[in-house]
Amino acid sequence: MSSPPHPLMHFGMTAWIKLSNEETGYYKGGKDSGEWPPKYWKFVLETEGEPSIKAAFVDSRRFGRIRLIDCDKDEIRRVLPLSENGPDPVQDKELVTLEWLMEKVRSKKVPVKAFLLNQANISGVGNWVGDEILYHAKIHPEQYTDSLNDAQLEQLHKSLLNVCSIACETLADSDKFPKDWLMKYRWGKGKKDNKLPNGSKIIYLTVGGRTSAVVPSVQKKTGPVAGDLSPKAGEDEEEKDGGLEEVEDKVSKQSQKKKRAAKATETATAPVQAKSEALPDHQSSKVKREDTHEDTAPPASTKSPSKRKAVGEVNGEATQEESKSKKAKKVPELEANTKEAKPARRQSARVSGRTLE
């Protein structure tokens, strides 16, 4: 833009700039479809003069952002939000010195990978770039920054400048990266034998909320490590109880046991209704009643009406006989009580001057 406001674009995860007169799909590993405006476009800029060139901001997942900054173009990095970012290791090499890095790193106590990803510390270092820097510096991504010695920080500074410079010089075209870069072999997460050409195994950890590719044989723990599974920090992953590989195997076995137990529980507690579908009608109804009315009254009798009537008549006769015998027992008792009560009442009546017959 020749004059303010200037567009400030953040690409997020999937955003990109596509030009109307040039193919830019190489960055995504494919070719442009040729349609214009391109799919998922959000914002289009057009140049003045002939030939006119259009630039489209595309973003399929909508993680990107565009902000208009009202300032001179040379001052844009000194205005919010860019003013909150740290120095760029490519554009600000005079600021990103070894002394500056040592002071910055040792003033914090965070995993070194999280330190590199924090744009407030250093601008422009993303996830795979951070892994590449630490791989060449031979530093474990979980190791705390304040535990790094001078030799490690010197190597970290060298790797930071080298990796970022090559990535920018090649326009992030991975085909042009050096053959010994971890980035060329790190994309096999989930595979059993994901290794470097020399046979070194690649493992994956979550550091700073991001997946980190690590080569344990190269990136050894030399100090306190965030999320360390061993009781002693700094021990080699491959020496302590079989190392990190054995820990991963144990975790995998435990998760498999939990899955089998959960599956067995689901099978044992499956609804009886599913079983009743394969049973005859008279058996399935019985199973349903037992399943749904365990704590309620028992189901009604399944005897035929004629049988129920006969049983009822017999039961009725028995009930009547029982009630008659109970009444017969009560009558003599009442008569006895009445005979005993009359003399007493006559006696009390004579005392009062009355005669009770």
Side-chain angles (χ1 to χ4, degrees):
M1 304 288 286
S2 57
S3 61
H6 300 288
L8 177 63
M9 304 180 187
H10 189 292
F11 286 171
M13 296 290 291
T14 59
W16 186 237
I17 291 292
K18 289 191 176 183
L19 304 177
S20 60
N21 65 332
E22 185 177 348
E23 182 179 327
T24 57
Y26 67 87
Y27 179 78
K28 295 294 182 181
K31 293 184 178 181
D32 291 335
S33 62
E35 62 177 326
W36 194 267
K39 193 175 182 180
Y40 306 119
W41 72 275
K42 310 298 178 187
F43 185 76
V44 176
L45 293 174
E46 185 175 0
T47 62
E48 295 179 348
E50 295 294 336
S52 177
I53 300 175
K54 296 179 180 180
F57 180 90
V58 297
D59 186 12
S60 59
R61 299 182 66 183
R62 300 183 180 182
F63 289 156
R65 296 289 183 270
I66 300 175
R67 180 181 296 190
L68 296 178
I69 306 298
D70 190 9
C71 69
D72 186 83
K73 62 180 180 180
D74 295 330
E75 298 293 324
I76 195 168
R77 293 187 62 194
R78 299 184 180 91
V79 178
L80 289 173
L82 294 183
S83 61
E84 296 179 343
N85 288 3
D88 188 291
V90 176
Q91 296 185 6
D92 306 317
K93 289 185 179 180
E94 70 281 359
L95 297 178
V96 186
T97 62
L98 176 59
E99 292 74 17
W100 174 88
L101 184 63
M102 284 184 172
E103 181 180 357
K104 192 76 173 179
V105 166
R106 287 174 174 168
S107 65
K108 302 178 182 296
K109 185 176 182 179
V110 295
V112 63
K113 172 71 180 291
F115 172 86
L116 293 175
L117 294 181
N118 189 343
Q119 301 300 297
N121 297 323
I122 302 173
S123 295
V125 176
N127 192 46
W128 76 262
V129 174
D131 286 346
E132 197 69 42
I133 292 171
L134 294 173
Y135 169 68
H136 291 286
K138 300 180 180 181
I139 298 174
H140 196 282
E142 290 182 319
Q143 186 161 336
Y144 284 113
T145 51
D146 61 346
S147 67
L148 300 175
N149 56 40
D150 290 348
Q152 288 175 312
L153 290 176
E154 185 176 354
Q155 187 60 44
L156 179 64
H157 178 259
K158 181 180 177 181
S159 298
L160 172 66
L161 299 181
N162 185 55
V163 171
C164 292
S165 297
I166 293 177
C168 292
E169 290 170 0
T170 58
L171 298 179
D173 187 351
S174 59
D175 293 335
K176 298 179 182 179
F177 291 167
K179 294 182 179 180
D180 62 339
W181 272 28
L182 175 64
M183 196 267 188
K184 288 182 170 290
Y185 312 100
R186 60 166 289 152
W187 308 109
K189 182 180 179 181
K191 297 181 180 179
K192 292 183 178 180
D193 297 324
N194 190 28
K195 300 179 180 179
L196 295 175
N198 61 8
S200 298
K201 185 177 181 179
I202 302 174
I203 66 171
Y204 299 89
L205 305 173
T206 300
V207 186
R210 304 295 301 276
T211 299
S212 302
V214 187
V215 182
S217 61
V218 175
Q219 300 167 259
K220 299 182 182 296
K221 301 176 184 178
T222 61
V225 176
D228 194 355
L229 297 177
S230 62
K232 295 181 180 180
E235 293 186 358
D236 192 343
E237 293 92 337
E238 298 180 350
E239 294 178 359
K240 177 65 178 179
D241 294 333
L244 199 52
E245 295 179 11
E246 184 171 335
V247 172
E248 288 182 335
D249 292 338
K250 290 181 179 179
V251 173
S252 178
K253 290 180 181 179
Q254 290 177 358
S255 63
Q256 290 177 2
K257 288 182 179 179
K258 289 181 179 180
K259 288 180 180 179
R260 287 196 295 268
K263 189 175 181 180
T265 304
E266 291 177 359
T267 303
T269 59
V272 182
Q273 184 177 0
K275 295 183 179 180
S276 65
E277 294 177 358
L279 296 175
D281 294 339
H282 65 283
Q283 294 185 15
S284 62
S285 61
K286 183 178 179 181
V287 172
K288 289 180 181 178
R289 287 196 302 272
E290 291 176 355
D291 180 63
T292 58
H293 301 285
E294 289 180 356
D295 298 331
T296 60
S301 175
T302 57
K303 296 181 180 180
S304 62
S306 61
K307 291 183 178 180
R308 285 200 301 269
K309 186 176 180 181
V311 172
E313 292 174 355
V314 174
N315 291 339
E317 293 174 358
T319 305
Q320 291 176 3
E321 290 179 357
E322 290 177 1
S323 62
K324 288 180 179 179
S325 62
K326 289 181 180 179
K327 289 180 180 179
K329 290 180 180 179
K330 289 182 179 180
V331 171
E333 292 178 359
L334 291 173
E335 292 178 354
N337 292 335
T338 303
K339 291 178 180 180
E340 292 176 1
K342 281 184 177 181
R345 292 172 66 185
R346 285 196 182 99
Q347 185 176 3
S348 62
R350 290 192 187 99
V351 173
S352 61
R354 292 182 299 164
T355 302
L356 179 61
E357 294 297 333

